[in-house]
Amino acid sequence: MFFEIVYCVDIAKKHDEPGLLGMCQRSGYANTNECQFYITLSAPLKFMDNKNVVFGRIVNGMRTIRMIEQQETYNEVPVKKVTFESAKIMQ
């Protein structure tokens, strides 16, 4: 699997398009430094605006992300292992 990411930290960036890369605090882990990364699959996601930081967006390889999205899951975890073999970060 291959995709390219443009790196740009922007706390004010709205979650208004698919393919945004961000980070948020894990649900249920208040007052900790536990976090998880995400890629938006739909938009808009107004409930995430001004709460979670966007630090990049997919510029090439969204088709790969859509293939991952289609994988069977159990408790929001893919049943089959999904591994990123390559990711190119551009500034």
Side-chain angles (χ1 to χ4, degrees):
M1 295 183 193
F2 175 78
F3 57 94
E4 294 178 304
I5 301 166
V6 172
Y7 176 79
C8 176
V9 176
D10 187 352
I11 190 70
K13 170 71 175 142
K14 303 294 184 195
H15 293 78
D16 57 359
E17 62 182 299
L20 298 176
L21 178 63
M23 184 177 69
C24 63
Q25 185 174 354
R26 283 183 63 191
S27 179
Y29 289 83
N31 303 315
T32 72
N33 289 329
E34 295 250 355
C35 63
Q36 62 187 13
F37 298 97
Y38 61 86
I39 297 172
T40 58
L41 301 173
S42 62
L45 300 170
K46 293 181 181 186
F47 69 95
M48 297 178 83
D49 291 345
N50 302 315
K51 294 179 184 172
N52 301 304
V53 64
V54 171
F55 60 86
R57 67 180 173 85
I58 306 296
V59 293
N60 186 15
M62 197 59 191
R63 187 174 135 217
T64 300
I65 301 303
R66 293 294 183 198
M67 288 171 50
I68 295 169
E69 178 185 24
Q70 298 302 315
Q71 298 300 306
E72 179 183 354
T73 61
Y74 178 76
N75 287 336
E76 298 185 8
V77 176
V79 172
K80 293 183 181 178
K81 185 176 180 178
V82 175
T83 303
F84 293 101
E85 296 175 0
S86 176
K88 182 177 180 182
I89 300 175
M90 303 162 36
Q91 289 193 348

